[in-house]
Amino acid sequence: AMARALRLRLTPDEDVAAILRSTLRSLDDDDVHTLAWALGGDQVGRLDRRAARFAAVIRGLRILSRKRPVVLILDDAQRGEDALAFAQRLVATERGASGCGLIAVLAISDEAAAERADIQRDGDRLVAHEAVTTIPLLPLPRREHRLLVDHLLGLAPRLAEEVATRPAGNPRIAVELVGAHGGR
């Protein structure tokens, strides 16, 4: 995601640091090294040092946010082993760093939190931070959900009816159903 934000097309054999130095001339050597490491340019020890990896990604996000606001979306965070831990580290790091140009959106399924105590505990720990705002996403009212299905997704009538009723107002499930059925 950072490579896309920087408009870089990287292949495994490229010298990421050299590309960053030529593309982003305003970066100092520490920033180049950090971004190169976060982008996977330095694989040595990358996967077995989670805290260092988190720190590199957070610093990379801060570097990106110098030029324009960054919105980080961690959807279905309960599915990724590191997503909740990363979000906790981000909140702890960003506390007091107002105006940094970084917004993180974390989505956790209520059903997953109800099924797994560790997800509930980690989610509760995140919500306890003063920098965190929670926004419950309720199902769309029936009329708005049907409008989404009919007009925005452009489905055949029979499939539209199925998509309008199965997800019970959850627009994400509606979109996933459409993707699974290949649209029209």
Side-chain angles (χ1 to χ4, degrees):
M2 276 197 274
R4 279 193 311 264
L6 292 168
R7 294 180 174 88
L8 299 175
R9 294 179 189 222
L10 302 174
T11 59
D13 59 336
E14 289 185 287
D15 183 350
V16 176
I19 292 169
L20 290 170
R21 279 189 190 92
S22 67
T23 307
L24 302 169
R25 291 187 177 97
S26 64
L27 297 180
D28 62 27
D29 285 340
D30 285 342
D31 289 344
V32 167
H33 177 72
T34 298
L35 272 178
W37 196 64
L39 290 168
D42 177 4
Q43 297 294 325
V44 179
R46 183 168 179 253
L47 295 177
D48 55 16
R49 295 188 351 215
R50 185 167 103 165
R53 187 169 33 103
F54 286 176
V57 172
I58 290 168
R59 188 160 172 213
L61 291 169
R62 282 183 162 172
I63 292 166
L64 290 173
S65 71
R66 289 179 193 162
K67 294 193 179 262
R68 62 175 174 246
V70 172
V71 178
L72 173 66
I73 300 173
L74 299 171
D75 194 15
D76 287 331
Q78 74 277 0
R79 291 185 185 173
E81 186 177 309
D82 284 347
L84 288 169
F86 176 76
Q88 289 172 343
R89 176 70 184 264
L90 180 63
V91 168
T93 303
E94 294 300 313
R95 193 175 350 154
S98 62
C100 68
L102 174 61
I103 295 173
V105 177
L106 180 76
I108 301 173
S109 160
D110 288 340
E111 293 82 14
E115 291 173 7
R116 290 186 43 199
D118 59 330
I119 292 171
Q120 182 68 49
R121 182 192 63 240
D122 292 346
D124 290 345
R125 202 176 302 153
L126 274 170
V127 171
H129 283 277
E130 72 265 359
V132 173
T133 301
T134 59
I135 303 171
L137 299 178
L138 303 174
L140 288 173
R142 185 172 175 83
R143 181 174 178 267
E144 282 80 6
H145 183 72
R146 186 59 195 226
L147 183 67
L148 169 78
V149 171
D150 288 345
H151 297 286
L152 298 179
L153 299 179
L155 300 175
R158 196 175 103 213
L159 184 55
E161 184 60 35
E162 181 182 349
V163 172
T165 55
R166 268 182 66 191
N170 186 326
R172 188 173 92 201
I173 293 175
V175 171
E176 288 174 1
L177 278 172
V178 171
H181 285 84
R184 298 171 192 224

